[in-house]
Amino acid sequence: MSTPASASTIHDIGYRHYEGPRLARAYVVRSLFVHNLRAAYGLGRPTRAKVMPFLLFAIMLLPAAGSVAVLAITKQPSTLIRYSAYAVNLQPIVAIFLATQAPVIASRELRFHVVPLYFSRPVGAADFVLAKFGAFATALLALLAAPVTLLYIGALVTRPPKVAGGAAMPGVGEQTLHYLGGLAGCVVFALVLAGFALVVAAFTPRRGFGVAAVIAVYLLSNVPVGIVQAIALDSTMYDLAGWAGLFTPFNLVDGVQAGLLHATPSTPQGPPAGLGGPVFALVCAAVVAGSLAILYARFRKAGLS
């Protein structure tokens, strides 16, 4: 039986048009950046998500703290770890951070098929990728720059005097130049390693597979290059050993530090003199640009599905 027209009622439930500011694209990109930066360290997530990144961060700081403590006790400048060598010496810890946290940044939206929801807002695939890449590179930079900064502060605070028959500690100006060079190396490491890890993780939506894939790619690039360099050095083929560093990310960036930033090589063989430094730098730029292009294509395709 139909309801009489006289019994019909229109209810005012209080819907109102939004009259506030339109924050639009820039705000969305900034929000994505902050969200992914927090996610890289498990902030805003359950406690178990925070354990691994903060544990790795603490482990990265330990050698720097130990080096400063030894410097303070022995007064020997040589006991301080070189700024440019820190990331190379601690590369297993950095690789674990890449393997565990890159899937958090690159895989979750793909796994749960929510990328189209992001793209229904005023943000495109390029903005989405740049926000994620920038956030993960910033998280890596914090991981790498914090111990280097601790070394720098420790060197300035201890300031051991010149030991008879030993090398004097560099002055504040020289120490600062070395520190800034080390920070520049950290920036290059962060950009190259972030691109490398995010690309691998973006093609393995399940986190467990992503962790295994990043570690596998790291080992598959590092072990053969180490073998080639050892054989080349044993045969006095120094240029071949140097060029081999192009094919593994840590050696690649260390080649830029040695060739362009005038740091002492931290790998078995630095880049060849002359063209080595510029070539290594161009390859780093190509890796970053190629990673962004691949991520753009990957997320754009996911946003259309």
Side-chain angles (χ1 to χ4, degrees):
M1 186 174 70
S2 60
T3 304
S6 59
S8 300
T9 304
I10 297 176
H11 295 279
D12 181 4
I13 58 178
Y15 285 132
R16 298 181 62 185
H17 290 291
Y18 177 72
E19 299 175 354
R22 302 288 179 176
L23 299 174
R25 178 181 173 185
Y27 180 79
V28 175
V29 174
R30 186 166 66 250
S31 298
L32 277 172
F33 173 85
V34 173
H35 168 73
N36 284 283
L37 179 58
R38 286 168 55 83
Y41 284 97
L43 300 176
R45 302 182 63 208
T47 302
R48 65 178 180 275
K50 301 178 179 68
V51 172
M52 183 59 74
F54 279 99
L55 177 62
L56 293 173
F57 196 94
I59 293 173
M60 285 290 291
L61 289 173
L62 283 177
S67 179
V68 171
V70 173
L71 174 65
I73 295 170
T74 64
K75 308 300 182 184
Q76 294 288 340
S78 60
T79 60
L80 193 72
I81 301 173
R82 288 187 296 108
Y83 305 129
S84 60
Y86 205 90
V88 178
N89 292 344
L90 274 292
Q91 61 179 285
I93 308 302
V94 179
I96 294 172
F97 184 88
L98 293 172
T100 55
Q101 302 312 114
V104 173
I105 305 299
S107 301
R108 288 188 300 167
E109 290 91 351
L110 295 171
R111 179 182 177 186
F112 295 108
H113 305 287
V114 297
V115 175
L117 297 179
Y118 283 97
F119 293 171
S120 67
R121 304 296 188 270
V123 59
D127 297 327
F128 187 77
V129 167
L130 287 174
K132 281 187 170 292
F133 179 84
F136 195 52
T138 302
L140 270 174
L141 180 59
L143 183 79
L144 298 171
V148 171
T149 302
L150 179 60
L151 288 172
Y152 174 65
I153 294 172
L156 294 184
V157 169
T158 54
R159 294 292 299 150
K162 178 176 174 60
V163 180
M169 194 74 176
V172 174
E174 187 179 355
Q175 194 73 248
T176 301
L177 286 176
H178 291 165
Y179 168 66
L180 293 176
L183 277 188
C186 289
V187 171
V188 181
F189 269 114
L191 293 173
V192 171
L193 295 176
F196 150 76
L198 288 177
V199 165
V200 176
F203 287 91
T204 49
R206 292 196 173 273
R207 184 179 180 185
F209 293 153
V211 172
V214 173
I215 288 292
V217 172
Y218 164 72
L219 292 175
L220 288 174
S221 66
N222 201 49
V223 174
V225 167
I227 294 172
V228 169
Q229 286 187 322
I231 294 173
L233 289 173
D234 190 56
S235 304
T236 67
M237 301 171 67
Y238 300 114
D239 283 352
L240 175 61
W243 289 121
L246 288 169
F247 299 98
T248 184
F250 285 93
N251 291 37
L252 174 63
V253 179
D254 189 63
V256 175
Q257 293 188 126
L260 295 184
L261 301 177
H262 308 294
T264 302
S266 304
T267 52
Q269 181 65 32
L275 288 177
V279 169
F280 273 62
L282 286 174
V283 173
C284 282
V287 168
V288 173
S291 298
L292 288 172
I294 293 170
L295 289 169
Y296 172 81
R298 177 73 174 111
F299 281 107
R300 185 173 182 273
K301 181 179 178 180
L304 296 173
S305 58

